[in-house]
Amino acid sequence: MPHTLPDSFDQCDPLQSALYTTLFTRRDVRSQFLPDAIPDDVLARLLTAAHYAPSVGFMQPWSFILVRDTATRQSLHQAFSEAHLEAAAMFPDEQRDKYQRLKLAGILDAPLSLCITCDRERAGKVVLGRTHMPEMDLYSTVCAVQNLWLAARAEGLGVGWVSIFQRERLHQILGIPDNIQVIALLCIGYVSHFEATPELQTKGWRKRLPLESLVMENQWDQPLSGTEFRQMIVQTQQSAEVIAHNTNKAVNESLLTTPKS
Amino acid sequence: MPHTLPDSFDQCDPLQSALYTTLFTRRDVRSQFLPDAIPDDVLARLLTAAHYAPSVGFMQPWSFILVRDTATRQSLHQAFSEAHLEAAAMFPDEQRDKYQRLKLAGILDAPLSLCITCDRERAGKVVLGRTHMPEMDLYSTVCAVQNLWLAARAEGLGVGWVSIFQRERLHQILGIPDNIQVIALLCIGYVSHFEATPELQTKGWRKRLPLESLVMENQWDQPLSGTEFRQMIVQTQQSAEVIAHNTNKAVNESLLTTPKS
């Protein structure tokens, strides 16, 4: 990936550039999966990336179920399809058609489904840092998901987080006990290309918000006062868009010309 | 940071090395904050990193309250101290002393407290991907936290996630409306050093778990069968430890000899 970054990132060292490039080019992939298997050494790095997430009280409450088996992936796809139908019915008329035209899961296309769970009792009943915010262990597990997602992007793998399921169906299909909470089902695989812009934006579902409108100072009702800092945030977001667009465009050209071995 | 990586990471390209190095050297910082201000351009990059997190239905439900004001940080510290006392009382006798000796928040030491919230109504009532797992927007916001945390590490900034609060006290101090959910309060600042190993491990609270014991195949009750893949995971985790230790050791030496301008 290119390391010449625009404007707000041009003073970054190579490590920073690499991280920001990965953050901005990561995509939620639904449609572009290739069937190529993921090598074991790559998978071991992805899982290690997840395992080095922060966790409340160092609980490390996560577990990983690797689903490569076709029959199991077919069952997962079936569970998704059932929930997807239910979901469509919930949208107002003017959104339903558009919702139904979106491809929202690549379970059958990607060679790997990965279920990431949270064991809420892994470190006993009283957990350091979870005494007042009981959901902290769930959040720790989400950090593991995000670490893995970024590692996957850096390895050239696409990830899609599929959340349209009846929870009990996942438990049933994967044999997950009741005291374990499913956090994420991810589809993972190599891709034909990475979208320059999130698909939900390209397809007119929803746009990227202006970051400066989401930042406040000292109190909820105090928007950013400093014009200079506000403008700096605007420019930094513009630069991030440029990085995302240029990098994924360059990566896609190389994916087209260099078939994966 | 060094880019010569051991064993399981020696085939990684520079972008991958940089990402993994950041993931493995990130720490939850409580005690090592320096008072130095965070430059606006760095802060703009951190916020942008957070804003490029994945979000369910492209909701982008997060907001950011930057708390640099001393009086407000003192109130936050007071709220933490109250909850910390309550928390200590919850631990069994044999853990309580150890718990009380741990420093768990650097709110007064770090120049910036950052509150990250989730607006559950930002994209209307029916949200694509949240129809069956209503907590997905909370999880999206956690992904933003983790993105920011990694960007901070790459920028040489420490972050500590403080979760020992009565939630209503945070709402009261920061004027956060009832329909907004607080996800994280982070302390952010430059540091004297980064620990090679998580403090909770060094201080005997809890150890890093062996990753291979947390990975299953196709079903919850099926541990990893392939000896070779299992061994590969063991080695990858060992390599991650080496990267974390060597990198943070080198960074700390340079922090000692090169005072921040």
Side-chain angles (χ1 to χ4, degrees):
Chain A
M1 300 192 192
H3 282 281
T4 316
L5 300 186
D7 309 348
S8 313
F9 295 87
D10 61 1
Q11 299 301 312
C12 288
D13 69 25
L15 183 136
Q16 293 159 356
S17 304
L19 178 68
Y20 287 119
T21 302
T22 308
L23 293 175
F24 302 149
T25 57
R26 183 207 48 75
R27 288 287 169 266
D28 199 329
V29 174
R30 310 283 161 173
S31 311
Q32 302 101 43
F33 287 112
L34 304 174
D36 311 65
I38 304 165
D40 280 353
D41 63 321
V42 175
L43 198 46
R45 290 198 291 272
L46 298 193
L47 294 168
T48 304
H51 191 45
Y52 275 74
S55 65
V56 66
F58 209 27
M59 263 185 92
Q60 308 157 74
W62 41 72
S63 299
F64 307 91
I65 311 175
L66 302 168
V67 184
R68 279 178 281 211
D69 175 58
T70 306
T72 311
R73 284 193 291 116
Q74 278 167 344
S75 300
L76 290 171
H77 177 75
Q78 179 60 30
F80 160 77
S81 301
E82 291 160 16
H84 189 42
L85 263 180
E86 294 168 357
M90 297 181 201
F91 282 93
D93 292 346
E94 65 275 18
Q95 283 190 301
R96 191 173 307 123
D97 276 1
K98 193 180 268 189
Y99 177 81
Q100 284 173 320
R101 280 197 305 271
L102 294 168
K103 171 154 182 167
L104 294 180
I107 300 170
L108 296 180
D109 310 326
L112 175 68
S113 292
L114 175 63
C115 184
I116 303 186
T117 60
C118 177
D119 177 354
R120 312 209 63 182
E121 294 159 10
R122 185 159 289 165
K125 282 197 198 314
V126 186
V127 175
L128 185 157
R130 202 186 59 175
T131 49
H132 291 72
M133 295 194 175
E135 68 279 22
M136 282 299 292
D137 52 351
L138 308 177
Y139 294 176
S140 301
T141 309
V142 174
C143 290
V145 172
Q146 181 62 1
N147 267 15
L148 184 140
W149 204 335
L150 293 169
R153 180 62 191 87
E155 299 272 4
L157 286 158
V159 170
W161 183 335
V162 185
S163 55
I164 304 168
F165 287 110
Q166 294 285 2
R167 195 181 290 280
E168 52 272 33
R169 289 282 281 125
L170 286 182
H171 280 257
Q172 179 192 21
I173 294 167
L174 300 175
I176 300 170
D178 288 346
N179 63 324
I180 301 295
Q181 186 151 340
V182 172
I183 301 295
L185 189 94
L186 307 177
C187 300
I188 310 180
Y190 290 101
V191 294
S192 58
H193 63 281
F194 286 101
E195 298 285 339
T197 307
E199 264 185 277
L200 290 180
Q201 176 157 323
T202 322
K203 297 194 171 154
W205 188 263
R206 205 170 149 74
K207 286 185 185 163
R208 178 97 55 194
L209 301 173
L211 173 57
E212 70 279 8
S213 68
L214 309 176
V215 184
M216 292 161 279
E217 280 180 305
N218 296 314
Q219 289 283 316
W220 177 265
D221 53 3
Q222 287 197 343
L224 273 183
S225 54
T227 319
E228 209 174 319
F229 182 44
R230 195 186 167 84
Q231 190 50 36
M232 197 175 269
I233 292 177
V234 173
Q235 282 172 358
T236 309
Q237 180 168 356
Q238 285 169 354
S239 298
E241 281 298 315
V242 173
I243 292 169
H245 190 268
N246 290 355
T247 308
N248 276 347
K249 197 161 159 274
V251 166
N252 292 341
E253 281 163 14
S254 80
L255 282 173
L256 276 176
T257 52
T258 331
K260 227 177 54 58
S261 59
Chain B
M1 302 193 190
H3 282 281
T4 317
L5 300 186
D7 309 349
S8 312
F9 295 87
D10 61 1
Q11 298 301 312
C12 287
D13 69 24
L15 183 136
Q16 293 160 354
S17 303
L19 177 68
Y20 287 120
T21 301
T22 308
L23 294 175
F24 302 150
T25 58
R26 183 206 49 74
R27 289 287 169 267
D28 199 329
V29 174
R30 310 283 161 172
S31 312
Q32 303 100 44
F33 287 112
L34 303 174
D36 312 65
I38 304 166
D40 279 354
D41 63 321
V42 176
L43 198 46
R45 289 198 291 271
L46 297 193
L47 294 168
T48 305
H51 192 44
Y52 276 74
S55 64
V56 66
F58 209 27
M59 263 185 93
Q60 310 158 72
W62 41 71
S63 298
F64 307 92
I65 311 176
L66 301 167
V67 184
R68 280 177 281 210
D69 175 58
T70 306
T72 311
R73 285 193 291 117
Q74 278 166 345
S75 301
L76 291 171
H77 177 74
Q78 179 59 32
F80 159 76
S81 302
E82 291 160 16
H84 189 41
L85 263 181
E86 294 167 356
M90 297 180 201
F91 282 94
D93 292 346
E94 65 276 18
Q95 283 190 301
R96 191 173 307 123
D97 277 1
K98 193 179 268 187
Y99 178 81
Q100 284 172 322
R101 280 197 304 273
L102 293 168
K103 171 153 183 168
L104 294 181
I107 300 170
L108 296 180
D109 310 326
L112 175 67
S113 292
L114 175 64
C115 184
I116 303 186
T117 60
C118 177
D119 178 353
R120 312 209 62 180
E121 295 161 9
R122 186 159 287 165
K125 283 197 197 315
V126 187
V127 175
L128 184 156
R130 201 186 59 175
T131 49
H132 290 72
M133 296 193 175
E135 68 278 22
M136 282 300 292
D137 52 351
L138 308 176
Y139 294 176
S140 301
T141 309
V142 174
C143 289
V145 173
Q146 181 63 1
N147 267 15
L148 184 140
W149 204 334
L150 293 169
R153 179 63 191 88
E155 298 272 4
L157 287 158
V159 171
W161 183 335
V162 186
S163 54
I164 305 168
F165 287 109
Q166 294 285 0
R167 194 181 290 280
E168 52 272 33
R169 291 281 282 124
L170 285 182
H171 279 258
Q172 180 191 18
I173 294 166
L174 300 175
I176 300 170
D178 289 345
N179 63 324
I180 301 295
Q181 186 151 340
V182 172
I183 301 296
L185 189 94
L186 307 177
C187 300
I188 309 181
Y190 290 100
V191 294
S192 58
H193 62 281
F194 285 101
E195 298 285 340
T197 307
E199 265 185 277
L200 290 181
Q201 175 156 323
T202 322
K203 297 192 169 154
W205 188 265
R206 206 171 148 74
K207 287 183 184 165
R208 178 98 54 195
L209 301 174
L211 173 57
E212 70 280 7
S213 69
L214 309 176
V215 184
M216 292 161 281
E217 280 180 304
N218 296 315
Q219 289 283 318
W220 176 265
D221 53 2
Q222 287 196 343
L224 273 183
S225 55
T227 320
E228 209 173 320
F229 183 44
R230 195 185 167 86
Q231 191 50 35
M232 197 174 269
I233 292 177
V234 173
Q235 282 172 357
T236 309
Q237 181 168 357
Q238 284 168 356
S239 299
E241 280 299 316
V242 172
I243 292 169
H245 191 269
N246 290 356
T247 308
N248 277 346
K249 197 160 161 275
V251 167
N252 292 341
E253 281 162 14
S254 79
L255 282 173
L256 277 176
T257 52
T258 331
K260 228 177 51 59
S261 58

